[in-house]
C-alpha cells in the first residue's frame, strides 16, 4: 500500500477514506461505513487489479466503453471476490444525469450483468433487502453512499454537476425517509473520489445554476471565478452542503480528498483522458443475517 500511496499525488487523509487491498485488487472504503462491516459491504474501485488493456487498464467495470465482455466479467469477478459479494446478483444503474431512483428488490438481481435490464434512466439505487449488491459507475462524477443502520437501508447516487445542482443527495435522503421510514439524522454518508475543484473548470452558464441553488454564502470554497468567464467548481463541497441541509449530521459524513483527475493512473478520469477511459464503480450490499 505504501507503493500505491507514492503514486497518488498527495497522501490522502485516512480519517475520510481508506485504501483497501485484497488479492491484488485495490479499492477505497470509508470509515463511517467500515465501522458497520459486519452488516455492510461497500467499496469504490480503482484502476488496479483487473485484466483490461490499454486505456481501459486494468479494472474497467463497464460494458459500455468498448471493452471485451469477458474482460469486464473477469474484472467484476475479481472485484466481487475482494469485497465478498456474488457478482451475478449485481443490479446496475442506468445513469443519464437525472435525479430518478429505483427501489431494488430480489427480482432485479443480475440486471445489467447476466441479463438484460429494464432499469432505465436511473441515477440512484436503494434497497433494504440483504444479499443484493447495487452498483453505480463513475469517471469524475461524485459517488454518494448512504446507509441507515437503524432501518437497514442502503443507497447509492451518481452526482455529476447536473445531479449535484439538482440536489440528488437531498432527494435520496427524502426518498429513504418516505419509502423506508428512515430518519435523516440516522443516515451515514460518504462522498467518494471524483474530480476536485482545481481540476474542474465550468462555464458561466453552469456556475450561475449553482449560484442560484447554493447562493454566495460559501464563497470561493464552492465556486470561484477566473478570467474569460470560467469558474472552478467544488462538487465535493456542493454535495456535502446538500447532505447537511437535508438533515444528515456532520459527524455522519465522510468527504473524500481523492481526485480522479489528479490521479489518472489510479482512477479513470473522463477529463484527464479526454474521454478515452473505462469506468470506476461503487458497490454496496447489506449482508444476510448471520453472514454472507
Amino acid at each position: 500500500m505504501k507503493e500505491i500511496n507514492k503514486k497518488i499525488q498527495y497522501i490522502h487523509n485516512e480519517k475520510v477514506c481508506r485504501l483497501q487491498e485484497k488479492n491484488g485488487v485495490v479499492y477505497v472504503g470509508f470509515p463511517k461505513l467500515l465501522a458497520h462491516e459486519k452488516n455492510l459491504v461497500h467499496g469504490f474501485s480503482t484502476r488496479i487489479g483487473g485484466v483490461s488493456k490499454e486505456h481501459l487498464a486494468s479494472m474497467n467495470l463497464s460494458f459500455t466503453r468498448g471493452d471485451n465482455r469477458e474482460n469486464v466479467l473477469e474484472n467484476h469477478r475479481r472485484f466481487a471476490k475482494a469485497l465478498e459479494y456474488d457478482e451475478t446478483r449485481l443490479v446496475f444503474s442506468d445513469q443519464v444525469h437525472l435525479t430518478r431512483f429505483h427501489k431494488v428488490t430480489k427480482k432485479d438481481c443480475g440486471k445489467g450483468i447476466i441479463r438484460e435490464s429494464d432499469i432505465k434512466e436511473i441515477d440512484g439505487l436503494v434497497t433494504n433487502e440483504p444479499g443484493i449488491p447495487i452498483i453505480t459507475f463513475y469517471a469524475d462524477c461524485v459517488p454518494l453512499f448512504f446507509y441507515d443502520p437503524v432501518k437497514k437501508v442502503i443507497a447509492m447516487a451518481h452526482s455529476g454537476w447536473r445531479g449535484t445542482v439538482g440536489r440528488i443527495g437531498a432527494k435520496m435522503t427524502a426518498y429513504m425517509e418516505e419509502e423506508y421510514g428512515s430518519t435523516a439524522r440516522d443516515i451515514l454518508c460518504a462522498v467518494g473520489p471524483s474530480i476536485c475543484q482545481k481540476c474542474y473548470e465550468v462555464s458561466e452558464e453552469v456556475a450561475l445554476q449553482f449560484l442560484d441553488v447554493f447562493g454566495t454564502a460559501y464563497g470561493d470554497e464552492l465556486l470561484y471565478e477566473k478570467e474569460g468567464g470560467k469558474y472552478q467548481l467544488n462538487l465535493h463541497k456542493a454535495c456535502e452542503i446538500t447532505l447537511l441541509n437535508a438533515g444528515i449530521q456532520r459527524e455522519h459524513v465522510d468527504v473524500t480528498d481523492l481526485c480522479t483527475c489528479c490521479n489518472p493512473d489510479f482512477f479513470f478520469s473522463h477529463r484527464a483522458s479526454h474521454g478515452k477511459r473505462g469506468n470506476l464503480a461503487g458497490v454496496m450490499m447489506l449482508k444476510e443475517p448471520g453472514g454472507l
Side-chain angles (χ1 to χ4, degrees):
M1 200 63 69
K2 289 182 179 179
E3 288 302 313
I4 293 170
N5 272 332
K6 289 178 182 178
K7 294 178 182 179
I8 297 175
Q9 288 202 4
Y10 50 87
I11 301 301
H12 68 284
N13 180 356
E14 291 196 346
K15 292 182 179 180
V16 294
C17 59
R18 294 178 187 167
L19 295 180
Q20 312 284 298
E21 187 274 330
K22 190 172 183 180
N23 301 323
V25 174
V26 178
Y27 60 97
V28 179
F30 303 95
K32 302 288 190 303
L33 303 180
L34 287 168
H36 294 267
E37 61 184 349
K38 289 185 178 180
N39 301 312
L40 179 70
V41 168
H42 87 283
F44 185 78
S45 70
T46 69
R47 297 185 66 164
I48 299 173
V51 298
S52 296
K53 306 298 182 184
E54 299 175 345
H55 65 279
L56 300 169
S58 64
M59 184 61 79
N60 167 50
L61 292 168
S62 175
F63 294 106
T64 65
R65 304 305 303 179
D67 204 350
N68 178 281
R69 180 173 177 82
E70 289 306 312
N71 285 347
V72 180
L73 287 172
E74 176 61 21
N75 291 341
H76 275 287
R77 285 189 283 267
R78 292 185 179 200
F79 196 52
K81 186 176 181 180
L83 270 65
E84 299 185 358
Y85 62 85
D86 181 353
E87 77 279 359
T88 68
R89 294 175 62 82
L90 277 167
V91 181
F92 281 36
S93 58
D94 180 50
Q95 297 159 196
V96 290
H97 297 277
L98 296 176
T99 56
R100 296 174 182 166
F101 310 133
H102 178 75
K103 184 184 288 188
V104 175
T105 64
K106 284 185 172 59
K107 67 180 177 60
D108 295 315
C109 286
K111 289 182 178 178
I113 185 164
I114 62 170
R115 62 190 178 111
E116 189 174 350
S117 180
D118 57 0
I119 299 171
K120 302 297 182 183
E121 298 187 349
I122 293 296
D123 282 74
L125 299 173
V126 57
T127 190
N128 65 348
E129 296 190 23
I132 307 176
I134 57 176
I135 185 167
T136 49
F137 300 93
Y138 306 88
D140 279 339
C141 293
V142 185
L144 300 179
F145 295 72
F146 300 79
Y147 174 51
D148 177 356
V150 177
K151 297 296 184 180
K152 299 296 189 292
V153 182
I154 58 171
M156 292 202 67
H158 163 260
S159 191
W161 78 258
R162 290 179 179 84
T164 304
V165 81
R167 301 173 62 251
I168 193 171
K171 290 179 180 177
M172 180 60 86
T173 302
Y175 190 85
M176 293 171 68
E177 291 178 321
E178 293 164 7
E179 298 294 326
Y180 295 93
S182 296
T183 301
R185 65 176 177 270
D186 294 328
I187 298 173
L188 308 177
C189 293
V191 179
S194 56
I195 195 166
C196 73
Q197 186 175 25
K198 74 174 185 178
C199 292
Y200 195 40
E201 182 184 89
V202 298
S203 67
E204 184 176 33
E205 178 184 3
V206 172
L208 289 175
Q209 292 184 55
F210 274 82
L211 288 172
D212 185 54
V213 171
F214 294 94
T216 59
Y218 303 98
D220 288 353
E221 188 178 8
L222 177 64
L223 185 72
Y224 65 85
E225 185 176 3
K226 306 193 303 181
E227 295 180 355
K230 299 294 184 180
Y231 295 75
Q232 297 298 131
L233 174 62
N234 189 338
L235 288 177
H236 292 162
K237 186 64 179 179
C239 288
E240 179 185 15
I241 293 166
T242 297
L243 293 170
L244 297 179
N245 287 345
I248 306 294
Q249 301 298 293
R250 185 177 295 276
E251 61 269 23
H252 287 173
V253 182
D254 285 327
V255 183
T256 185
D257 58 356
L258 287 174
C259 172
T260 48
C261 191
C262 285
N263 300 287
D265 293 332
F266 191 69
F267 295 112
F268 291 115
S269 169
H270 185 82
R271 188 158 290 205
S273 67
H274 305 286
K276 192 176 181 181
R277 45 78 182 175
N279 269 347
L280 307 162
V283 170
M284 296 189 81
M285 185 187 75
L286 292 168
K287 291 183 179 180
E288 298 278 5
L292 292 176

